[in-house]
Amino acid sequence: MSDTVYRRRFSAGRLLFNEGQAADAAYIIEAGAVEIFVEFAGERTRLAVLGPGEIFGEMALVDDSPRSAAALVLEDCEAIVVERGQIKRELERATPLMQILLRTLIHRLRVATSSLPAAAAPISADEAAKVIARIKGEHEVRRAIDGGELVPYLQPIVRLDDGITVGFEALVRWRHPSQGLLGPEALLGSAERAGLLEVLDLMVLREAARMLSAANRRLALAGRRPVFLSANFGAVHFADERLADVIAEILGEAGLPPERLKVEITETTLIVNRDARKALDRIKGLGCAISLDDFGTGYSGLSYLSQFPIDYLKIDKSFVCAMLSERKTGEIIRSVVQLAGQIEIDTIAEGVETQAQADFLREAGCIYGQGFLYGNAQPAEEACASLFDRS
Ligand code: CMP
Ligand code: MG
């Protein structure tokens, strides 16, 4: 049904609806006046007289219940009709908590003013449980951040031709007091709803940068090349104009030169942020590199590679996993690696688990690899220490 917004005229004296009737529309008064009333044991109580700009008849649509009161036109009235479908669609876009708040308020108003038996509880036990779980999740993530339960783990990124670790990707882990070690899936949804994604990513960056900076000082003393840090930045950062300054400040405090940081972003970030280009240019201006993450999972539009200042392409593990069993996937990887190379973009393959995969990727021209074959994500201290084990 289309969202037809149409106007209706009602003459003074007309009863628009009675308490207890079924409802199909709400009205916004443009001119005239409407009385809202209820009747208790034959006695009529006026609840309100509504005039231009006011809405009535919305309660029954919001909580799918009968009219809570009657509406009588006091003065010739012109009103805009708001259909049920319009209200329903808007409501569906609200968060579950907002929906429950709204229905609870209406329920309370009905109990307070209506002579009808009180409607059933405004929300089902199931709905309540879901909302409570979400709210708890958000509290828990907040507590976890404040309590230092979220820690950076580092997964090695190696050069495929000699297997030497050249950098690490920082991945958040949750040292949950009762559930043990949890991955990002346990917290990202709650963190996003609680508006904490930005804080979380920056915290991981800060901690990991500090660790890697210390490791690089030791490597320098041993006459070895420094390693880089690859850190994930969700789309939410790109709404913040200060992003490049914030990164510069964190790296400065940690003592990690910007040249040692690769900023990992996904294609979605580029799609949802029209201004990403500006932010990326500023980040590149600091000396950091940009990695396009999860390549192969979304549209994987090659145009991004020319539109945005991308330095590295991370081939998603789903591609790497299927590459040896599906000839076409293998060919796609070969072509992508080759094409990226031609425009000075180096490729990093994720999810490398077997030597055969590593060999295929190396022959295809892929420069770097990451995955179980080279090591899982480890606590940052251990990952850094492992740089010194092998030499
Ligand atoms: P609905 O229940 O759909 O139909 C009756 C309408 O009267 C209701 O929506 C509200 O728009 C309005 N209404 C109900 N109670 C009050 C009140 N106490 N004060 C003002 N308006 C009310
Ligand atoms: Mg990543």
Side-chain angles (χ1 to χ4, degrees):
M1 198 170 40
S2 68
D3 289 346
T4 35
V5 173
Y6 55 93
R7 218 177 241 99
R8 290 189 62 181
R9 284 165 190 279
F10 305 109
S11 308
R14 175 160 173 194
L15 184 69
L16 290 178
F17 49 74
N18 239 323
E19 186 178 359
Q21 279 182 350
D24 57 3
Y27 304 90
I28 300 170
I29 302 172
E30 287 207 304
V34 172
E35 181 192 11
I36 303 293
F37 67 93
V38 287
E39 276 178 356
F40 293 98
E43 194 185 320
R44 180 170 164 154
T45 309
R46 173 179 276 186
L47 296 177
V49 173
L50 305 176
E54 292 186 285
I55 190 164
F56 68 96
E58 76 296 345
M59 287 169 55
L61 302 187
V62 172
D63 68 358
D64 287 315
S65 300
R67 294 292 189 195
S68 62
L72 173 72
V73 181
L74 289 184
E75 289 166 25
D76 285 356
C77 176
E78 252 184 60
I80 293 175
V81 179
V82 186
E83 288 171 335
R84 172 187 292 277
Q86 274 175 287
I87 292 185
K88 285 282 155 212
R89 277 192 293 281
E90 301 267 334
L91 277 179
E92 277 159 19
R93 285 203 284 272
T95 64
L97 177 60
M98 285 309 292
Q99 295 182 26
I100 285 183
L101 289 180
L102 201 57
R103 275 151 60 188
T104 301
L105 286 173
I106 289 184
H107 183 73
R108 297 211 168 116
L109 188 62
R110 279 182 184 277
V111 169
T113 59
S114 175
S115 58
L116 297 174
I123 48 168
S124 70
D126 247 21
E127 285 173 306
K130 266 190 218 141
V131 168
I132 291 168
R134 283 172 73 130
I135 293 173
K136 270 194 182 160
E138 289 171 34
H139 284 309
E140 270 217 76
V141 168
R142 219 179 284 273
R143 190 188 44 77
I145 290 178
D146 293 344
E149 291 171 19
L150 303 186
V151 289
Y153 268 47
L154 296 177
Q155 183 171 39
I157 297 176
V158 307
R159 215 160 39 200
L160 286 170
D161 60 7
D162 54 14
I164 286 180
T165 298
V166 287
F168 293 94
E169 177 175 357
L171 298 160
V172 67
R173 292 289 182 271
W174 186 354
R175 287 188 181 138
H176 196 283
S178 60
Q179 295 174 44
L181 192 67
L182 304 176
E185 62 291 342
L187 65 115
L188 291 188
S190 297
E192 187 177 9
R193 281 191 294 276
L196 292 172
L197 268 189
E198 215 172 341
V199 176
L200 197 150
D201 282 347
L202 294 178
M203 193 182 75
V204 170
L205 173 68
R206 186 173 291 116
E207 298 288 312
R210 213 179 283 152
M211 300 296 300
L212 278 200
S213 165
N216 278 342
R217 280 195 297 275
R218 278 185 68 193
L219 287 170
L221 287 176
R224 289 170 54 191
R225 291 173 58 83
V227 287
F228 64 77
L229 172 65
S230 206
N232 296 282
F233 286 76
V236 59
H237 295 277
F238 290 82
D240 184 352
E241 285 180 7
R242 293 191 53 250
L243 178 60
D245 299 336
V246 172
I247 292 177
E249 195 184 313
I250 290 176
L251 295 179
E253 277 170 16
L256 190 75
E259 294 71 29
R260 299 278 95 80
L261 178 69
K262 300 194 197 315
V263 169
E264 291 197 13
I265 55 164
T266 65
E267 199 177 30
T268 320
T269 295
L270 300 180
I271 295 171
V272 299
N273 289 282
R274 297 219 182 86
D275 289 342
R277 168 87 218 208
K278 248 188 281 167
L280 293 178
D281 284 340
R282 292 200 55 212
I283 293 168
K284 284 212 60 159
L286 298 175
C288 305
I290 311 290
S291 273
L292 189 59
D293 205 0
D294 297 343
F295 195 80
T297 55
Y299 296 100
S300 307
L302 296 173
S303 63
Y304 293 113
L305 304 184
S306 61
Q307 273 172 38
F308 293 95
I310 310 279
D311 305 288
Y312 296 88
L313 193 65
K314 295 193 80 172
I315 301 175
D316 190 71
K317 59 172 174 288
S318 56
F319 259 84
V320 173
C321 174
M323 158 188 93
L324 295 182
S325 55
E326 297 172 8
R327 193 188 59 84
K328 282 186 185 171
T329 306
E331 287 309 320
I332 290 172
I333 289 196
R334 243 194 262 277
S335 315
V336 166
V337 168
Q338 200 180 11
L339 181 138
Q342 279 164 3
I343 50 174
E344 283 94 42
I345 292 176
D346 281 346
T347 35
I348 302 172
E350 290 191 300
V352 183
E353 294 181 0
T354 67
Q355 192 55 49
Q357 287 171 339
D359 292 342
F360 180 98
L361 289 161
R362 197 182 49 246
E363 278 158 28
C366 183
I367 314 282
Y368 304 105
Q370 184 180 348
F372 296 162
L373 181 64
Y374 306 108
N376 282 326
Q378 286 179 287
E381 317 81 61
E382 285 169 36
C384 289
S386 73
L387 285 170
F388 303 91
D389 295 345
R390 293 184 210 121
S391 57

